[in-house]
Amino acid sequence: MPVLYDEKNKIFNVYTKNFSLVFGIFADKLPILIHCGKRIKNTYNIHKMLDYKLKGGMAFAARNKEFNNEISLETVSALYPTYGNTDVRMPAISIMHNNGTMCSNFYYKSHKITDGKENLEILPSVYCEEGDNVQTLTLTLYDEPSALTLTLSYSAFYDYDIITQNVKLENAGERVKIDRIMSAAVDLPDKDFDFVHLYGNWARERQIQRTPLFNGGMTVDSKRGSSSAHHNPFFALARKNTDEFLGEVFGFSLLYSGNFTAGVEVDSIDNTRAFIGINPFNFGWTLEKGESFIAPEGVMCYSCEGFSKMSDNFQKIARQRICRGKYRDIERPVLLNNWEATYFNFNEEKLIDIAKKAKAAGVELFVLDDGWFGKRDDDKTSLGDWFVDKAKLPNGIDGLAKKINDMGLKFGLWFEPEAISPVSELYKKHPDWCLHIKGRVQNESRNEYLLDLSRDEVCDYIIEFMSDILSSANIEYIKWDMNRNMTDIGNEVLESGRQCEIAHRYMLGLYRVLDTLNKKFPNVLFEGCSGGGGRFDLGMLQYFPQIWTSDDSDAVERLYIQHGTSMLYPTSAMGAHVSAVPNHQVQRTTPIDMRGHVAMCGQFGYELDLNKLSDEEFETVKEQIKLYKKISHITHKGTMYRLLSPFEGNYTAWEFLSEDKDEIVLMIANIIKRGGRVAATRVLLKGLDENANYTVENTGEVYGGDFLMNIGFTRKPKKDFESELLIIKKVK
Ligand code: GLA
C-alpha cells in the first residue's frame, strides 16, 4: 500500500521500499512538503512539522494574509510551488492570467488514492502491470480567481524506489497562458549536494559531470527541439560522500524528448528546490475555457546505496515499465548495419555480398542504412522521397528483402521520416510543410529541414508513407533517425500568440506517429537514432526498445559513452556495434576483442564489411556472436555494477549479475599502458554470496565470494587496449 493518509492530521506519505514523500495540508488549504528522502514508516506527530516549517519566516518576508499573517511561503517547502503568493523563488508553475498578472494560489480541494497508475493519453508514461505494487495519489488543487484546476498525481512504484509525477491543468475560466509547468518538483532542506549530469555533443554523448551546489541557480537544458546530445534530461543530487555504492542520491528525469530544463535553485537559507520539465524558453501554451494541458511525466528516484542502485532502479523501470511491445523482453537479433561499410556507395550486389558474410558469421538481421531512396548519393538530397533508387536496387526493397530473407536473415531499413531535403520532390510539392519563419532565411543542418510535426496533416503523411513501405516488403526492423536540431521554429498555421507552442506540439505529433506505427506494426523492431545518440531519453524508449547510442563506434570512446548512458538507461537499450579500424570517427586502432567486449555490454551488432577482416578476425567474430548470445540474458536483464569508471582512471570494469544471482559477466578494459612501474588496479565484485564459491569459466579457477568482493582481481596493463570478458558462475 504505497500511499498512506492520516485523515485526522491531513498527512500523506507516498512511499516506496526506501523512499518517502511526506506532505501535509496546512489549514485545510496549503499543500506543504514535509519530507523527501529516506522512507519514513511512522508518521506519528509528523504533522507538527507543518507548524514548525511554516511559522517564523525571514524578516521582511511577505506573509500570507489568508493565514492570519502567520506564515510566509518564502521559507517553506511547497509541494508544488507557485509564484508570487509570498514565495518569490523559482516556481514549478507560473501562469499568465487574462489580466496579464502572474500570481496563482492553488489550494487543496480533494484527493483520491487508487491502485495502479493510469497512462497518459498523448504522451509517453511509465505503466504498471497486474500484480505491481503501485499506488497513485491524485491531488486536486484549485485557484479560485482563475477557475484553474491543477491535478497532481504521484504514483509510487514500490519495488523500483521510483515516484512518478503527473501534472494537469484544466481551465474553467477565462483564457490563460502557461508560462512554466514543471513535471517534477521537490524542495530539499539543505544544499549539501553535488549536481551530477550528463553532457556532451555529437560522438561524445552523456559524459558525466559532478559539481557542488552553490546558493543560486544551476540548470542544464535543451533549446534544440530535442532532448539532445548536449544535455540529457536527467540530473542527480548526490551527497558529498556518495559514490557508486554508498550514500544518498536523488535522480530526476522526464519522459520527454523535446526542450527541457532540469536543475535547482538554492535559496539564501540553503533550501534546494529541484525541478525538471519542459523548457519555459520559447514555450507558452494558451488554454481557452474548457481546455486542459498535460505536462510530460516526471520521474524521481531515490537511492541510499549510491549511484549504482539509482541507476539499477532507473534501468529496470525503463526496461520493464517504459519499453513496450514484443521486443521488450525477448532477445533481439544481432544485426549488421552497412553504414560504415559502404556509406552511400552501394548496390544490391555489394549488399548481398556483405549480408552473405554476415550470415556466415551468425548475424541475424541485415540493416540497410541511408542512401536507398530518391537520388541519395550523398546527404544533400532526397529526404522525403521515400521511393527506392532503382539504379542501386533494381529489384526494389521487396526484391532485396526477399534475397536477404532467403539467406536466413531478417531485413531492416533506415528512415529519417521527420526530415526533408530542400532538394526533394516532397519539398517542391509542400514547401510549407517544414518548420520555417516567413520572411526570414531558413537555415539548413546537414542539408535538411525538419518537417513540421506540429501539423496533423504532416503527421498523417508520415504514418501513411511509413505504413505503405512497411506493408510492401518483409521489413522487420526500422532504424528511425533524426539528424538535426530545430531552428527557425515557426509556421504559418498557428496564430502569432501560439507560435511558442510549436516545439511541444511537434513532440505530441511525433509521439502520435510513433505510437500509431508501433501499434500497427507490432512485429517490427523500431530502433531510435538521432545523429547517433542525440535523442536518447526515457520518452523515446516507450517506442524504441533500443537506441543507437552514439555515432562514435570507437571502443575507447564507447567506454565513456556507455558508462555515462548507464546512469539511467538499460544496456538492453544501448545499440553498440563492432566497427572497422582505424575507427572512422577518431582514427584509433583497437583490437577486435576490445571492440567486441565493449559492444557486448550493450545491444550487440556490427557496422562493417566482414569480408574485409582476416580469417582469424572472422573466426573471432563468430565466437563473439556465440558468446554474446550466451551472456545477453545476464548483461541485459541482470544488475549492472559500475566497478571502475573510465572518467576516474585507466580501467573500466562493469559487472552484470544475473537475476538469479548465480551468474556474473565481468568486462574489464584498460585504455593505455604507461611506462615504468604503476600501481595495480583492483576489481572488487559486488552482490555475491560471501559464503559461496564461484568458478571463472574462462580459466577454471575457483574463488570464494568473499575473496571476489574483498580481494578481487588485480590487473596491471601489459599493453594499450587490453580487455577481457569473464563469465563467473556460482558453484552449486
Ligand atoms: C546518422 C546516424 C548514422 C547513419 C547516418 C546516415 O548520422 O547516426 O548511424 O544512419 O545518419 O546518414
Side-chain angles (χ1 to χ4, degrees):
M1 298 292 284
V3 180
L4 287 177
Y5 178 51
D6 165 1
E7 194 166 356
K8 186 165 156 251
N9 297 304
K10 293 240 162 20
I11 297 292
F12 296 91
N13 184 2
V14 180
Y15 66 91
T16 66
K17 220 188 289 176
N18 297 291
F19 183 18
S20 268
L21 206 59
V22 182
F23 63 92
I25 309 292
F26 178 76
D28 290 337
K29 273 186 161 180
L30 259 182
I32 297 293
L33 182 65
I34 295 175
H35 171 77
C36 171
K38 180 95 180 139
R39 161 114 179 251
I40 304 291
K41 290 192 177 148
N42 183 351
T43 53
Y44 183 67
N45 265 336
I46 209 164
H47 62 281
K48 291 190 178 159
M49 286 298 290
L50 277 180
D51 277 4
Y52 170 78
K53 284 203 161 216
L54 278 161
K55 295 185 181 162
M58 275 188 284
F60 297 112
R63 280 155 200 276
N64 288 64
K65 229 176 197 159
E66 283 162 286
F67 303 103
N68 306 324
N69 293 332
E70 273 187 325
I71 64 165
S72 167
L73 294 179
E74 175 74 352
T75 44
V76 301
S77 314
L79 180 65
Y80 189 74
T82 52
Y83 170 76
N85 53 358
T86 77
D87 186 355
V88 283
R89 295 168 293 173
M90 185 67 93
I93 188 166
S94 66
I95 294 152
M96 184 182 281
H97 298 287
N98 205 27
N99 60 7
T101 62
M102 301 287 288
C103 291
S104 316
N105 297 315
F106 288 99
Y107 291 146
Y108 174 86
K109 201 171 162 196
S110 63
H111 76 269
K112 69 174 190 238
I113 296 168
T114 43
D115 287 341
K117 171 183 184 294
E118 280 179 22
N119 296 336
L120 296 184
E121 295 138 38
I122 52 167
L123 285 154
S125 51
V126 185
Y127 57 88
C128 60
E129 291 195 339
E130 190 81 31
D132 288 355
N133 193 0
V134 177
Q135 267 197 331
T136 299
L137 166 68
T138 307
L139 199 64
T140 306
L141 310 176
Y142 190 61
D143 178 50
E144 210 174 308
S146 64
L148 283 169
T149 299
L150 179 69
T151 308
L152 305 176
S153 310
Y154 297 87
S155 299
F157 286 75
Y158 183 87
D159 295 316
Y160 296 89
D161 278 331
I162 277 182
I163 298 177
T164 60
Q165 185 172 347
N166 292 111
V167 180
K168 183 178 178 183
L169 194 67
E170 287 162 281
N171 187 10
E174 291 179 65
R175 168 198 280 207
V176 297
K177 192 165 187 174
I178 305 171
D179 166 65
R180 175 184 175 90
I181 183 160
M182 291 298 104
S183 296
V186 286
D187 280 16
L188 300 165
D190 65 77
K191 64 157 187 192
D192 298 327
F193 293 105
D194 288 339
F195 188 87
V196 181
H197 68 115
L198 304 170
Y199 78 103
N201 53 49
W202 176 77
R204 196 161 57 86
E205 296 88 342
R206 290 171 294 284
Q207 309 288 301
I208 300 173
Q209 196 166 57
R210 181 172 181 163
T211 318
L213 292 189
F214 56 83
N215 295 77
M218 211 175 205
T219 57
V220 292
D221 77 352
S222 169
K223 299 180 267 301
R224 296 169 176 271
S226 81
S227 50
S228 98
H230 295 248
H231 289 293
N232 201 257
F234 157 79
F235 70 100
L237 294 176
R239 293 292 176 191
K240 306 277 173 204
N241 64 345
T242 297
D243 63 17
E244 281 292 339
F245 308 109
L246 292 172
E248 193 174 42
V249 52
F250 297 83
F252 300 87
S253 190
L254 194 63
L255 275 84
Y256 194 56
S257 316
N259 292 337
F260 70 90
T261 185
V264 296
E265 184 185 43
V266 183
D267 67 19
S268 65
I269 52 168
D270 298 347
N271 179 75
T272 298
R273 175 162 288 176
F275 51 82
I276 188 164
I278 294 182
N279 198 337
F281 182 83
N282 196 13
F283 169 80
W285 195 276
T286 301
L287 267 194
E288 300 287 351
K289 186 174 185 161
E291 287 182 347
S292 59
F293 182 86
I294 298 174
E297 186 160 297
V299 183
M300 295 183 279
C301 177
Y302 176 79
S303 159
C304 43
E305 294 167 69
F307 292 108
S308 268
K309 189 68 192 155
M310 174 197 75
S311 299
D312 187 45
N313 289 330
F314 268 127
Q315 290 171 6
K316 289 209 165 101
I317 206 153
R319 182 168 63 75
Q320 298 168 347
R321 295 293 179 266
I322 294 178
C323 291
R324 300 180 306 189
K326 170 175 164 180
Y327 291 97
R328 186 188 76 176
D329 297 328
I330 61 174
E331 205 41 72
R332 298 176 215 136
V334 173
L335 68 80
L336 181 136
N337 178 305
N338 75 308
W339 178 240
E340 288 194 21
T342 66
Y343 295 100
F344 296 99
N345 183 18
F346 61 81
N347 56 28
E348 189 184 278
E349 206 183 325
K350 203 165 174 181
L351 296 178
I352 295 289
D353 227 37
I354 295 173
K356 266 193 190 143
K357 195 72 175 176
K359 172 67 190 167
V363 166
E364 296 156 309
L365 162 68
F366 176 78
V367 178
L368 172 54
D369 210 277
D370 196 355
W372 59 267
F373 52 91
K375 296 191 189 75
R376 186 122 163 129
D377 295 325
D378 53 34
D379 62 15
K380 295 193 173 55
T381 71
S382 304
L383 294 168
D385 296 345
W386 301 108
F387 40 83
V388 72
D389 179 357
K390 289 263 181 174
K392 285 180 186 166
L393 304 173
N395 300 305
I397 290 298
D398 185 37
L400 176 65
K402 277 196 184 111
K403 288 189 183 177
I404 299 285
N405 289 163
D406 288 347
M407 282 179 211
L409 286 170
K410 292 175 190 298
F411 176 73
L413 200 55
W414 179 96
F415 284 90
E416 193 179 345
E418 298 159 69
I420 177 167
S421 304
V423 185
S424 66
E425 296 302 314
L426 185 69
Y427 188 69
K428 274 190 214 148
K429 219 163 132 190
H430 295 290
D432 65 318
W433 267 17
C434 51
L435 294 174
H436 67 283
I437 302 174
K438 197 176 174 193
R440 290 194 183 272
V441 173
Q442 201 171 338
N443 297 295
E444 294 173 18
S445 173
R446 209 192 187 213
N447 311 302
E448 61 190 61
Y449 301 139
L450 277 182
L451 285 172
D452 183 356
L453 272 74
S454 72
R455 295 173 60 171
D456 282 348
E457 67 274 39
V458 175
C459 294
D460 292 341
Y461 152 81
I462 295 178
I463 293 171
E464 194 183 309
F465 86 72
M466 287 298 295
S467 302
D468 287 350
I469 299 178
L470 280 168
S471 312
S472 72
N474 190 24
I475 301 165
E476 296 181 77
Y477 161 104
I478 292 288
K479 178 174 173 189
W480 185 292
D481 209 342
M482 200 283 272
N483 279 318
R484 61 161 296 174
N485 289 153
M486 285 183 201
T487 59
D488 314 295
I489 301 175
N491 66 26
E492 285 151 64
V493 185
L494 286 176
E495 64 189 59
S496 59
R498 285 185 180 267
Q499 291 286 310
C500 44
E501 295 178 8
I502 292 177
H504 181 60
R505 284 183 184 271
Y506 181 109
M507 295 319 303
L508 296 177
L510 175 61
Y511 291 140
R512 173 168 80 84
V513 169
L514 293 174
D515 194 48
T516 308
L517 292 172
N518 270 192
K519 288 181 177 145
K520 234 172 144 178
F521 300 96
N523 293 322
V524 173
L525 169 60
F526 287 85
E527 173 158 356
C529 178
S530 180
R535 203 164 58 181
F536 205 126
D537 56 65
L538 293 178
M540 280 292 135
L541 282 184
Q542 186 119 93
Y543 315 97
F544 304 126
Q546 62 194 60
I547 299 176
W548 182 225
T549 313
S550 173
D551 271 347
D552 199 330
S553 56
D554 170 65
V556 173
E557 291 303 311
R558 278 302 187 112
L559 290 175
Y560 297 90
I561 295 168
Q562 291 175 209
H563 197 90
T565 304
S566 77
M567 282 299 268
L568 71 161
Y569 304 108
T571 50
S572 59
M574 293 183 212
H577 301 169
V578 173
S579 62
V581 286
N583 173 268
H584 294 192
Q585 293 79 38
V586 294
Q587 305 307 316
R588 189 181 284 122
T589 297
T590 52
I592 187 105
D593 281 345
M594 185 183 191
R595 281 174 276 154
H597 291 156
V598 176
M600 268 185 243
C601 297
Q603 190 60 236
F604 191 57
Y606 289 85
E607 186 99 9
L608 76 173
D609 183 352
L610 295 174
N611 290 299
K612 299 207 168 131
L613 297 186
S614 67
D615 290 347
E616 195 189 336
E617 283 174 325
F618 186 68
E619 287 311 309
T620 305
V621 167
K622 282 186 178 164
E623 291 310 312
Q624 285 177 344
I625 295 175
K626 275 192 217 137
L627 177 60
Y628 170 74
K629 292 182 81 71
K630 182 169 143 184
I631 62 166
S632 61
H633 69 283
I634 309 171
T635 52
H636 292 167
K637 295 189 174 161
T639 299
M640 179 183 191
Y641 297 98
R642 288 178 298 252
L643 302 181
L644 296 171
S645 165
F647 294 97
E648 286 163 21
N650 195 22
Y651 272 98
T652 301
W654 298 328
E655 174 190 338
F656 303 92
L657 178 63
S658 64
E659 283 174 297
D660 62 11
K661 296 190 174 8
D662 286 349
E663 295 174 288
I664 296 108
V665 172
L666 179 62
M667 200 290 298
I668 308 175
N670 76 272
I671 299 174
I672 50 165
K673 155 122 178 94
R674 301 291 314 276
R677 193 181 167 94
V678 292
T681 299
R682 288 201 303 160
V683 184
L684 304 179
L685 275 69
K686 293 282 170 188
L688 307 189
D689 176 351
E690 60 183 11
N691 298 313
N693 286 327
Y694 292 82
T695 309
V696 180
E697 212 176 77
N698 314 52
T699 59
E701 287 161 350
V702 176
Y703 298 95
D706 50 359
F707 175 97
L708 292 172
M709 291 195 289
N710 299 300
I711 300 174
F713 297 112
T714 308
R715 293 290 182 266
K716 271 189 192 182
K718 290 186 217 59
K719 55 182 191 247
D720 294 349
F721 315 132
E722 280 173 318
S723 67
E724 56 197 306
L725 199 137
L726 303 179
I727 300 180
I728 302 168
K729 287 193 172 153
K730 192 174 184 177
V731 179
K732 296 253 172 121

